[in-house]
Amino acid sequence: MEGFDFVHRETVRFRDLDSLGHVNNAVFLTYLEEARIAYLDPLGAEAKNMILARVEIDFRAPLRMDDELEIGVRPARIGTKSFDLEYEVHAGDSLA
């Protein structure tokens, strides 16, 4: 994934789907959470014990059963008491 030095991988599971057969919008937050934990893991437990203050998602394309996901994580801003992370979720060549 261009521009992302860290990429976390997930596979869409049956339990992630809604009645229309695509990933429920709330499940995207779980994918981002898993990627964030994996990204911060090398920094130690203190980095994972933080408060998530804000989330904004622009949905581009649906995800479906068995899609292989690549979730890129990178810092967007680092302050003195907080920081922002940016994510991209891809299924194949599609930005989700």
Side-chain angles (χ1 to χ4, degrees):
M1 291 183 58
E2 191 172 332
F4 289 88
D5 292 333
F6 181 85
V7 178
H8 179 74
R9 289 172 174 73
E10 293 278 337
T11 302
V12 174
R13 299 166 292 264
F14 177 76
R15 69 182 180 112
D16 299 342
L17 306 178
D18 62 16
S19 61
L20 298 176
H22 52 65
V23 171
N24 182 280
N25 62 341
V27 176
F28 276 78
L29 291 171
T30 301
Y31 296 151
L32 300 183
E33 177 184 55
E34 292 293 332
R36 181 175 58 253
I37 290 169
Y39 178 76
L40 296 173
D41 190 51
L43 302 177
E46 295 82 22
K48 292 185 279 187
N49 294 328
M50 64 184 72
I51 295 169
L52 179 64
R54 182 173 183 276
V55 176
E56 181 177 328
I57 299 176
D58 294 321
F59 298 98
R60 307 286 183 183
L63 297 173
R64 302 197 183 283
M65 181 71 180
D66 296 327
D67 277 351
E68 298 289 331
L69 308 180
E70 291 186 323
I71 305 153
V73 183
R74 66 181 171 208
R77 183 193 63 82
I78 300 175
T80 58
K81 296 182 181 184
S82 65
F83 59 91
D84 297 338
L85 296 176
E86 291 180 336
Y87 306 83
E88 280 190 9
V89 179
H90 288 256
D93 294 331
S94 177
L95 174 63

